[in-house]
Amino acid sequence: MPRPTPPAPAAVPDAMPAAAARRTPRPRAPAGPAPVPAEAEAGAARKPVAPEKAPAPPGRRMQSLERKRAAILDAALHCFSRLGLHGTSVDQVAARAQVSKSNLLYYFGSKEDLYVAVLRDLLALWLEPLREEFLPEHDPADAIRRYIARKMADSRDHPDASRLFCLEMVRGAPLLRGELDRSLRPLVEEKVAVVRGWIAAGRMAPVDPQHLIFLLWSTTQHYADFAVQVEAISGRTLADPAFFAEAVANLQALVLGGAVGPAGGGAPAGDAAPPPAA
């Protein structure tokens, strides 16, 4: 009897495709930053950029430099007039001017250069009234009267400048002698000629012009150079308007009485000089 044929085994479903799918690696992200869409890139290009700060206009920069230079000169005048050249340091001047030492030395190469610059400025200040008032076409009495008033106003408003100039003269003017020869002497010689012309025309008494100028300098600058002495004796200073007017009027009367005669007497008190500087 033939053996029965065993039944065929049940078919096993093919699971390979699913297993293979599970083993298939996911695609990796590309290295580097993600690409930027064209629209976003164009927007970034259109993003406004802050403009660079424009340099200051030349005129404004020049004004700033001049203000800083003036501040240094003012600070130097204050220090030099109180401490002298050798008692003053560049650091002291820089601190008072509120600039750095290196910045100060950018404007003035040394302490001596700064000192001479201060002296030149104050010399120009003191000589301006002489240059403007002693002119051939002016009446001598009016010119001398105005000159005394202006010089007294300078002594009141700029006492430090007068004191520093006095100190330099006492020291023998070692740093200013050349400037005196170049600018002061020619100007005085010019004004001496003017006074001689007034005398020759019979408009003034025959006084020596140089001694007249020396007298005018000494009497007017005395109130600045010896302000402590003036105050100790009179109890007053040129800051007192009444004392200022009184001093000016008396100097005018004294000088004009000798140089021009009684007709050239001083101006009335209170109407003798310009008002104090602001």
Side-chain angles (χ1 to χ4, degrees):
M1 180 174 181
R3 295 178 179 179
T5 303
V12 180
D14 188 2
M16 286 301 293
R22 286 197 300 271
R23 291 195 300 269
T24 302
R26 294 179 180 178
R28 295 181 180 180
V36 180
E39 294 81 357
E41 188 174 351
R46 291 192 299 270
K47 185 178 180 180
V49 179
E52 295 184 3
K53 188 176 180 181
R60 189 179 303 171
R61 183 173 182 274
M62 184 61 66
Q63 290 175 359
S64 175
L65 293 175
E66 288 300 322
R67 281 195 300 269
K68 189 170 292 186
R69 185 179 186 277
I72 294 171
L73 288 170
D74 286 344
L77 174 59
H78 176 89
C79 295
F80 287 141
S81 65
R82 286 161 176 78
L83 305 173
L85 172 63
H86 299 297
T88 299
S89 69
V90 173
D91 293 297
Q92 288 172 313
V93 177
R96 184 169 183 83
Q98 298 183 338
V99 300
S100 66
K101 180 177 179 179
S102 60
N103 197 205
L104 184 151
L105 293 174
Y106 167 80
Y107 289 89
F108 306 96
S110 67
K111 182 174 72 171
E112 289 72 20
D113 289 345
L114 175 58
Y115 183 76
V116 172
V118 171
L119 289 172
R120 283 175 177 163
D121 276 7
L122 66 89
L123 186 59
L125 172 71
W126 287 116
L127 293 180
E128 184 176 294
L130 183 64
R131 183 177 287 109
E132 295 180 353
E133 299 298 348
F134 279 51
L135 298 174
E137 62 271 20
H138 287 175
D139 176 75
D142 290 341
I144 293 173
R145 185 180 292 110
R146 287 193 302 266
Y147 179 80
I148 291 173
R150 291 181 63 177
K151 284 287 290 177
M152 288 291 284
D154 284 341
S155 289
R156 176 195 59 199
D157 301 335
H158 307 284
D160 286 352
S162 182
R163 283 192 287 267
L164 179 58
F165 190 79
C166 180
L167 286 174
E168 179 64 12
M169 295 303 103
V170 170
R171 292 178 61 240
L175 296 178
L176 197 63
R177 187 54 188 264
E179 195 69 26
L180 298 180
D181 291 337
R182 285 190 298 271
S183 60
L184 179 61
R185 185 172 179 175
L187 177 63
V188 171
E189 289 176 349
E190 175 189 328
K191 300 311 176 181
V192 162
V194 171
V195 175
R196 285 180 177 152
W198 287 338
I199 294 171
R203 303 168 72 188
M204 276 187 64
V207 298
D208 184 286
Q210 282 190 347
H211 290 298
L212 172 63
I213 293 173
F214 295 158
L215 174 68
L216 292 171
W217 287 346
S218 61
T219 53
T220 55
Q221 290 174 220
H222 174 87
Y223 289 86
D225 301 340
F226 293 89
V228 174
Q229 176 179 277
V230 170
E231 185 175 12
I233 295 172
S234 67
R236 305 162 78 187
T237 70
L238 295 184
D240 175 356
F243 181 69
F244 176 80
E246 177 186 317
V248 170
N250 276 276
L251 287 183
Q252 290 171 333
L254 289 167
V255 174
L256 292 172
V260 181
D271 188 34

